[in-house]
Structures are given as C-alpha cells and as structure tokens.
Amino acid sequence: MPVTVKPLAPNIGAEIEGLDLAAPIADEDFEIVRRAFCDHAVIVIRGSRFDDDDHIRFSRRFGELKKLKVEAYLGQRRPEIFVVSNIKENDQYIGAHDAGMFWHSDGPFLKQPHGPSALHALEVPMQDGRPLGDTHFANTAAAYDALPQALKAKIDGLRAVNSLARRVELAERSGVKGTAAAKQSSTQEQEAVHQVVRVHPETGRKCLFVSDGYTTQILGLLEAESKALIKELTEHIVKPEFRYTHQWQVDDLVMWDNCAAQHKATFDYKATQRRLMHRTTLLG
Ligand code: SIN
C-alpha cells in the first residue's frame, strides 16, 4: 500500500495512510512523512499495532530523543517514554495525570525548547461509543501569518519569559495536587526567555511562541501591557480556524511540532475511566 497524506483541517494536521509503525520504514516513505510533518505541523498515524520499541525507533528517525529523569514520571519502562495517564497503582499515579491541562508547547521553559513530541494511545476512555479525552492542536505559524501587519511589526523582536512555575500555579489553582510539572521542577531548568516570534528551524516560517500555560511576561513592556498582549496573542492562536481536534483510537500515534503547534488535552472523563498514553519527545 503506498504511503499517502490526507489533510485533516485547513491549517493543521494530516493523516499518513499506508504506514505500519511495527515494520521498518523505507527512506522514501519516511521522506513523505517528514515533508507532511513540515507542511502540517501535526501528523496522525493509525491502524498499526506497535509497542514502545517501535514508537522509539520511529521517533528517532526525526532526531535525538529526550531521556527523562526517573523521579519525574512514575511507571515508566524506558527513559525515552513519558507516561501520561490518570491511572493509579498503589495509590500513586503511574504517569503525568495533568499533562495538557492548558494550551502549551512542550518545554518552553528550557533554554533549548523541545523538538517534536509523539503520543501513542494505549487506553482511551469511551462513553456511548465515543472516545473521550480528545487533544486539541493549534497552528502557531498560521496564527502569526493571520495577524495584522501593525501587530506583527510590534511583536517581531520582543522576548517573553516562559516559566514552569506558571504551569504549576495554574494547575494548583484548578485544584490539581502534586502536578507532574511540580515533580519535574526540582530536576529541570525553571524558566527561559524566548522570542515571541520564533523562526521555525526547518520551514523558516514565523511562529508565535507565547502560551497560556507557560508565558508570564513580555520583556520591555509595562505589566498591564504585557498581560494584555499575552492574552491577545494566546487567544488568537487557538481560534477555530487554526485548529484540529484529535479523537483518539487505541494505537494512534500523533506527532506534533512544538514550535509550529500548541496543544491542550480534554479532561471530560471520570477518574474511573482509564486513559493511558506514552509520549516520546525530541531534544530541541
Ligand atoms: C501532553 O500535553 O503532552 C499530553 C496531551 C494529551 O494527553 O492529550
């Protein structure tokens, strides 16, 4: 079966058809995948049965993987696999139970923000035949392109602070205790300053790099002006025209670009409905 690319929404997301993640992928097929990823910022691969080794092997085709520190993610089997789950064993979450509560990209509080992430669905909560726990994605390059010229001129060259502490504070304000981010906070860099407009290293497109989940301040502006600009930009990025929502099936792999896309999970399932995802993340 040939490998083909089917766009999923006007500005973001494509499904790659004809790819078996459990089998070796020929260079010419991988080139189709790589191009689709550059063009669509989020790719969906479904229909193959695969394990952590296949997941890691596929992710490595894009570059070097981040290895996580043991205390940051209980229940892990391989240091390349970050577990996202609401499942508890021995009264402890087996992974990050609050990942994706707010719009964000992965790792903007690091000097070298993360490269792409790839999430594999192992257990998906269901209700009345419909999957719960969708993940929303928004294209930050398309959002930048659509800004008025005057706003582009204003923000080009501005820099913003992105902080892990904001992520922890937002979660705790929503009543989530012992967040995954808080677990990581003793072992990771806490805060980094990045351009509000990042140029994508591969596509050369300009991408908005402020998020509700992590951005605390735009440098050089008064506090009220900084807050208002963060609000304006973060609300703009997630407008429906820049978005794709993924409804999960078991054994879906969804890979997203952490410069050209932001994401947010939906917490519409009960504690008794199991959701288990394994994630790989590339170094920036
Ligand atoms: C994440 O933010 O990495 C996880 C998203 C999800 O669980 O849908």
Side-chain angles (χ1 to χ4, degrees):
M1 195 173 161
V3 174
T4 55
V5 178
K6 185 177 82 180
L8 293 167
N11 275 310
I12 186 166
E15 185 173 344
I16 312 288
E17 293 175 316
L19 204 66
D20 180 358
L21 288 171
I25 297 170
D27 288 347
E28 59 272 26
D29 287 341
F30 182 71
E31 187 47 32
I32 296 172
V33 175
R34 208 190 56 75
R35 183 100 300 273
F37 189 54
C38 280
D39 291 345
H40 299 277
V42 173
I43 52 172
V44 174
I45 300 166
R46 54 181 22 164
S48 42
R49 213 168 171 100
F50 62 99
D51 61 17
D52 285 347
D53 288 336
D54 302 318
H55 183 179
I56 290 169
R57 195 180 52 243
F58 175 75
S59 307
R60 276 211 185 109
R61 299 282 302 254
F62 291 83
E64 195 183 338
L65 294 186
K66 182 180 164 98
K67 290 193 178 170
L68 296 136
K69 302 229 167 51
V70 172
E71 65 264 40
Y73 46 96
L74 302 169
Q76 67 144 32
R77 276 173 277 168
R78 301 272 304 260
E80 296 89 349
I81 296 288
F82 180 77
V83 179
V84 175
S85 184
N86 67 337
I87 299 169
K88 277 184 170 176
E89 279 173 13
N90 302 324
D91 219 26
Q92 296 253 37
Y93 286 108
I94 63 167
H97 57 290
D98 61 339
M101 279 188 83
F102 310 96
W103 280 103
H104 70 290
S105 58
D106 295 331
F109 50 86
L110 304 171
K111 246 195 234 101
Q112 196 82 293
H114 290 154
S117 299
L119 196 63
H120 174 197
L122 290 109
E123 295 186 51
V124 177
M126 301 286 295
Q127 190 146 313
D128 304 325
R130 183 204 177 279
L132 302 174
D134 296 352
T135 307
H136 306 281
F137 296 93
N139 189 322
T140 59
Y144 174 84
D145 289 347
L147 288 177
Q149 210 48 50
L151 187 49
K152 284 181 181 166
K154 175 174 172 180
I155 61 174
D156 271 341
L158 287 181
R159 295 178 314 138
V161 179
N162 296 277
S163 168
L164 189 58
R166 169 163 172 90
R167 162 76 182 77
V168 174
E169 188 197 314
L170 284 178
E172 288 179 351
R173 251 198 263 152
S174 330
V176 176
K177 297 247 162 53
T179 73
K183 258 190 216 296
Q184 290 171 3
S185 60
S186 58
T187 58
Q188 294 217 4
E189 294 164 46
Q190 306 282 307
E191 197 168 280
V193 173
H194 295 293
Q195 296 288 332
V196 167
V197 179
R198 255 180 95 193
V199 176
H200 193 283
E202 282 198 56
T203 64
R205 288 184 77 182
K206 289 185 170 182
C207 303
L208 289 172
F209 203 64
V210 287
S211 67
D212 183 35
Y214 288 109
T215 308
T216 55
Q217 188 194 352
I218 297 182
L219 297 175
L221 303 184
L222 293 174
E223 194 184 338
E225 200 189 347
S226 157
K227 268 204 175 123
L229 187 54
I230 293 170
K231 185 168 184 295
E232 181 178 3
L233 294 175
T234 53
E235 286 179 0
H236 172 75
I237 291 166
V238 304
K239 283 181 181 159
E241 58 268 37
F242 309 126
R243 275 166 65 168
Y244 162 68
T245 295
H246 188 70
Q247 283 198 340
W248 292 94
Q249 290 175 10
V250 169
D251 274 329
D252 281 356
L253 186 85
V254 177
M255 187 168 203
W256 61 85
D257 183 314
N258 278 307
C259 180
Q262 290 186 9
H263 59 285
K264 181 180 185 294
T266 313
F267 291 81
D268 57 353
Y269 46 93
K270 300 190 188 87
T272 50
Q273 293 176 292
R274 291 165 63 104
R275 187 175 189 267
L276 175 61
M277 307 273 178
H278 282 182
R279 194 183 85 190
T280 55
T281 299
L282 279 101
L283 293 175

